[in-house]
Amino acid sequence: QVQFVESGGGSVQAGGSLRLSCVVSGHTSSRYCMAWFRQAPGKERVGIAAIDSDGKTMVADSVKGRFTISKDNAKSTSYLQMNNLKPEDTAMYFCAADICSTVRLYEYDYWGQGTQVTVSS
């Protein structure tokens, strides 16, 4: 059973930074992608960033230049560094993982519970 431990969410003022962490366990493949999605109230969940086992990344245009995804394969941990946060970044952030051959921001089968990020102006 794939399990997640997400941490790092919280409340910050605009322009501030947060780093989200996601530890995944119970996966059986060494080749898997990890990704971060977010869902604001009343809106659909959207992909923000993803990384594969080789370190290849994909970042949504909406956060490019501000958010960085990284991964520690030895620790099965993904990090989302979020800088210059804006009020529109306020959302529930979800970690996801799945077996993959190349990095992608869609079709993830395994999800964490989410961590709230709130950015005030």
Side-chain angles (χ1 to χ4, degrees):
Q1 182 179 359
V2 179
Q3 295 182 319
F4 297 80
V5 177
E6 297 158 305
S7 61
S11 298
V12 295
Q13 290 190 329
S17 298
L18 286 173
R19 188 176 82 154
L20 305 183
S21 299
C22 174
V23 182
V24 61
S25 61
H27 54 88
T28 58
S29 173
S30 62
R31 296 203 60 82
Y32 62 99
C33 289
M34 294 186 74
W36 290 92
F37 291 71
R38 70 184 181 188
Q39 186 169 20
K43 296 188 177 181
E44 293 185 350
R45 186 177 300 186
V46 296
I48 296 299
I51 187 168
D52 67 14
S53 296
D54 296 325
K56 186 177 180 181
T57 63
M58 180 179 291
V59 180
D61 288 342
S62 59
V63 301
K64 195 167 292 183
R66 299 189 298 122
F67 291 14
T68 302
I69 188 170
S70 60
K71 185 170 177 244
D72 186 332
N73 287 327
K75 297 181 179 180
S76 296
T77 301
S78 171
Y79 304 97
L80 184 67
Q81 178 66 45
M82 305 184 294
N83 298 327
N84 190 22
L85 282 160
K86 303 176 180 180
E88 52 263 42
D89 294 319
T90 294
M92 184 70 78
Y93 284 70
F94 297 89
C95 179
D98 208 340
I99 296 171
C100 71
S101 57
T102 190
V103 65
R104 66 176 191 263
L105 264 174
Y106 57 89
E107 292 182 1
Y108 281 79
D109 285 339
Y110 303 101
W111 294 85
Q113 294 297 311
T115 184
Q116 178 68 37
V117 171
T118 302
V119 185
S120 58
S121 58

